[in-house]
């Protein structure tokens, strides 16, 4: 049985868009590439044909995986998220107690993590250290440089 994964509306839409792209655009292109290579003669010595078939195999595997993910996806109802403590999809603002620098992060499912966009995976040690904490809590986090303490200054959603 496949694992159920939770997604934000944006994250689930990205999966669906990628699946649509693969099925509607990439699959026909792969079939055309195979047909074109097949037309070039003897298949036993046709490296282009072998490469096209291999690419199609990878494409079909990705389509299958995405179909399974979408079928087992569950959408998180963001309106029901408790903003009194840190949970999945919480937007948190933290203050480094050592240098007073403030940072804001959104805690997202693992598949939606993107540090450049300030989205950190709920499974990361950094994000998981804040789970369940409330505004004003001091949270100690193990980072590569050692232990750091952050004050949780704001929780949104």
């Amino acid at each position: 049985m496949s694992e159920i994964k939770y997604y934000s509306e944006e994250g689930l839409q990205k999966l669906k868009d990628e699946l649509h792209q693969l099925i509607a655009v990439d699959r026909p292109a792969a079939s055309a590439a195979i047909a074109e290579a097949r037309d070039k003669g003897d298949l036993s010595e046709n490296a282009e044909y072998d490469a096209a078939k291999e690419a199609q195999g990878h494409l079909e595997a990705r389509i299958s995986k995405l179909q399974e993910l979408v079928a087992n996806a569950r959408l998180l109802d963001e309106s029901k998220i408790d903003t009194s403590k840190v949970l999945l999809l919480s937007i948190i603002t933290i203050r480094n107690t050592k240098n007073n620098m403030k940072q804001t992060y959104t805690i997202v499912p693992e598949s939606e993590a993107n540090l450049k966009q300030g989205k950190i995976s709920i499974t990361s040690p950094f994000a998981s250290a804040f789970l369940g904490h409330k505004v004003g809590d001091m949270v100690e986090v193990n980072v590569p440089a050692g232990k750091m303490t952050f004050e949780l200054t704001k929780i949104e959603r």
Side-chain angles (χ1 to χ4, degrees):
M1 184 167 176
S2 297
E3 182 181 349
I4 291 175
K5 292 196 174 191
Y6 292 90
Y7 294 90
S8 65
E9 193 171 334
E10 175 188 349
L12 184 56
Q13 190 58 50
K14 280 184 181 179
L15 279 181
K16 289 178 178 179
D17 290 347
E18 181 181 355
L19 181 59
H20 177 73
Q21 169 74 23
L22 293 175
I23 290 172
V25 178
D26 296 351
R27 184 184 270 168
S31 294
I34 290 170
E36 184 180 321
R38 188 182 305 125
D39 291 342
K40 292 187 178 177
D42 184 9
L43 298 182
S44 65
E45 295 180 13
N46 190 333
E48 189 176 333
Y49 176 78
D50 291 339
K53 288 294 284 182
E54 186 176 333
Q56 182 188 38
H58 290 298
L59 175 67
E60 291 302 326
R62 181 69 181 149
I63 288 171
S64 178
K65 181 169 177 58
L66 283 174
Q67 286 173 328
E68 184 179 327
L69 284 173
V70 169
N72 294 307
R74 298 295 180 267
L75 192 61
L76 291 165
D77 185 351
E78 297 179 33
S79 67
K80 294 183 179 176
I81 293 176
D82 180 5
T83 57
S84 68
K85 60 185 175 184
V86 179
L87 301 169
L88 183 62
L89 296 184
S90 292
I91 300 169
I92 62 171
T93 301
I94 57 175
R95 181 184 62 83
N96 183 326
T97 58
K98 194 172 189 175
N99 62 14
N100 283 329
M101 188 173 138
K102 285 191 175 187
Q103 298 168 301
T104 300
Y105 297 105
T106 303
I107 299 181
V108 297
E110 189 172 357
S111 61
E112 298 179 36
N114 183 331
L115 192 56
K116 288 181 182 177
Q117 295 176 353
K119 296 179 179 183
I120 56 175
S121 168
I122 192 166
T123 59
S124 72
F126 190 82
S128 62
F130 291 95
L131 293 178
H133 285 278
K134 299 177 184 289
V135 171
D137 285 356
M138 296 298 210
V139 180
E140 196 170 88
V141 181
N142 286 321
V143 295
K147 289 187 181 204
M148 295 181 71
T149 304
F150 296 91
E151 178 187 7
L152 185 57
T153 61
K154 188 175 182 182
I155 303 171
E156 300 176 77
R157 178 29 45 207

